[in-house]
Amino acid sequence: MMAVSPLRLAGYVELPEHRAKGGFDHAAVHGATGHVYVAHTANDTVDVFDPAARRHLFSIPDAPGAAGVLVCDEVVIVSNRAADTIGVLAPGPQPSVRHLAVGMRPNGLAYDPGRQMVLAANVGDPSVPGSHTLSVVGLAPDGVRREIAVPGRTRWAVFDPDPALFYVNIADPAEIVVVDPRQPDRIARTIAVPHAGPHGLDLEGATHRLFCACDAGMLVVLDARSGSVLGERPLSGVPDVVFCNRQRRQLYVAVGDPGVIDVFSTATLERLAVVETEAEAHTTALSPAGDRLYAFLPRTHRAAIYDLASD
């Protein structure tokens, strides 16, 4: 490991207290403003804060069971797990939210900006046959919706703009399904994952590598084109969110129990550090510039801000 941690704690932002159970879920950063959007599942809201000013700005209401948040320059997309919808809105305060129906209990989100196409990975209900699906929804006025059946519970999803493909983790059977937005009604192919419970997922487009964190406590690196396993590393526990920092060639894996972030070099897969956060802190967000990481602390309802060093 590095003698000096690649994550330096710079401070905290206080966020609204939880009104119910659920804590925080996924988050993302708006590139133009640097504002951070985080799904506050316990409050059925999306909280927005300014890390430069260290303050909470506003909360977006009417997001039942808010789970996934995806932020682009012109659009913010929220998966409302308790309403079987996604919310589509513009960045900024007091947005007008458009709700679009998707499958049962949407969670992970991915977006093809060229086609204005959203993929919602629906967790479903194991007691409801056929409820594990992917919803592919066009945001244009004439956009269409397609449903793709998948063999098990979905986890996280990402979009690779170079080959223009969606990748989605499936918990059981352990695999990654690949969807081509040009054929949004079918699975294009699957990639086998050698450990149980694929959960967090990110990619490094320049090297065509997928980083898949599994419930079995293993990080698996796969070639996105061939599906071959390129490497495996043990984790500190059961993981959730994964972010690949392409600028600094680092990977961050959030582990809620015991409450740490495992930091790896993407060049060598060496574990650089294990950074303590807080028990049950299972989600993070990475700035587009790769200079800051945010960890969401459910017990103290705040966000920790980390400045990032090169490996």
Side-chain angles (χ1 to χ4, degrees):
M1 296 187 186
M2 296 177 67
V4 178
S5 173
L7 301 186
R8 183 181 67 83
L9 182 63
Y12 299 94
V13 177
E14 297 291 330
L15 296 173
E17 294 188 20
H18 310 316
R19 297 198 297 260
K21 293 181 179 180
F24 302 106
D25 212 328
H26 296 281
V29 184
H30 185 235
T33 62
H35 294 166
V36 183
Y37 289 66
V38 58
H40 200 157
T41 309
N43 292 357
D44 294 332
T45 63
V46 175
D47 293 339
V48 184
F49 67 89
D50 181 350
R54 301 285 200 276
R55 68 185 182 93
H56 171 252
L57 298 176
F58 56 91
S59 294
I60 301 166
D62 194 22
V69 174
L70 190 153
V71 179
C72 301
D73 290 342
E74 304 298 331
V75 67
V76 176
I77 304 164
V78 183
S79 58
N80 301 318
R81 193 161 47 202
D84 299 345
T85 65
I86 57 172
V88 182
L89 55 142
Q94 298 181 328
S96 174
V97 182
R98 178 164 57 124
H99 294 276
L100 302 175
V102 292
M104 183 179 289
R105 302 181 66 217
N107 183 30
L109 297 168
Y111 184 55
D112 176 352
R115 295 174 179 81
Q116 293 184 275
M117 189 173 288
V118 180
L119 182 145
N122 305 308
V123 172
D125 182 335
S127 68
V128 179
S131 63
H132 302 303
T133 65
L134 309 176
S135 300
V136 183
V137 182
L139 298 187
D142 59 347
V144 297
R145 171 183 159 185
R146 297 285 186 268
E147 289 291 311
I148 304 172
V150 293
R153 175 181 176 170
T154 65
R155 283 315 204 358
W156 200 235
V158 295
F159 177 71
D160 188 348
D162 184 14
L165 294 172
F166 293 108
Y167 298 90
V168 186
N169 271 346
I170 305 297
D172 184 18
E175 63 185 29
I176 299 169
V177 299
V178 184
V179 174
D180 186 335
R182 289 153 292 208
Q183 297 178 309
D185 59 349
R186 70 198 69 177
I187 295 172
R189 59 188 173 93
T190 62
I191 299 171
V193 178
H195 293 283
H199 200 152
L201 183 67
D202 206 356
L203 62 90
E204 188 177 56
T207 60
H208 307 285
R209 291 187 297 170
L210 290 163
F211 297 92
C212 178
C214 299
D215 292 343
M218 293 294 294
L219 172 68
V220 182
V221 185
L222 303 119
D223 187 304
R225 298 164 299 180
S226 68
S228 61
V229 175
L230 303 176
E232 300 180 2
R233 293 292 185 272
L235 298 169
S236 295
V238 178
D240 195 329
V241 170
V242 173
F243 275 109
C244 177
N245 189 330
R246 297 156 188 85
Q247 295 92 332
R248 284 162 171 74
R249 303 201 71 188
Q250 294 173 0
L251 186 79
Y252 315 107
V253 184
V255 179
D257 182 8
V260 298
I261 299 170
D262 285 348
V263 184
F264 293 88
S265 164
T266 59
T268 64
L269 294 187
E270 174 192 2
R271 179 150 47 185
L272 303 176
V274 178
V275 178
E276 184 176 353
T277 54
E278 180 179 281
E280 301 174 18
H282 62 94
T283 188
T284 57
L286 178 66
S287 67
D291 58 348
R292 276 188 167 171
L293 186 75
Y294 307 96
F296 298 93
L297 313 180
R299 292 194 173 183
T300 53
H301 51 84
R302 57 184 178 164
I305 303 172
Y306 294 94
D307 291 332
L308 303 180
S310 300
D311 65 358

